[in-house]
Amino acid sequence: MRTLCASTLIGEFFVIGFAGLVAMKDPDLTTATVWTVSGIAMFLCLALCGVVTRPGGIALGWILQVALIASGFVVPTMFFLGAVFAALWWASVHYGRKIDEAKARFAAEAASSTPDAA
């Protein structure tokens, strides 16, 4: 699960950076505001890559997905991109868990089929 979720978060890292560039064109926003918010979100993406398998990691990822969708109020394209990444996040979590279960099952089968060395 970690690999799939981290891949999604790294993709989001870049999308947030590009959205920050687009948001800089808004005359109502200062450069400092745009890059403070974008920088925090980008940092969270990277930090979540390391804690996604710990308790609360997936929930924090969902909070990030909601924030990404909400950023559509500043950059309207982010409504669509946020929804796409939320779907990717769901798929990463869902199929990542299935892969982890399959790996554990195969490891248990391999351990039970090998004779013990005495």
Side-chain angles (χ1 to χ4, degrees), residues 23-24 26-31 33-34 74:
M24 283 181 47
D26 188 338
D28 297 332
L29 301 173
T30 65
T31 302
T33 302
V34 169
V74 177

Side-chain angles (χ1 to χ4, degrees), residues 1-2 4 53 92-110:
M1 175 171 64
R2 176 181 230 139
L4 290 174
T53 55
S92 297
V93 171
H94 178 74
Y95 292 111
R97 285 183 176 153
K98 287 187 178 233
I99 290 168
D100 289 348
E101 290 169 3
K103 282 183 180 178
R105 189 172 55 250
F106 291 140
E109 289 174 4

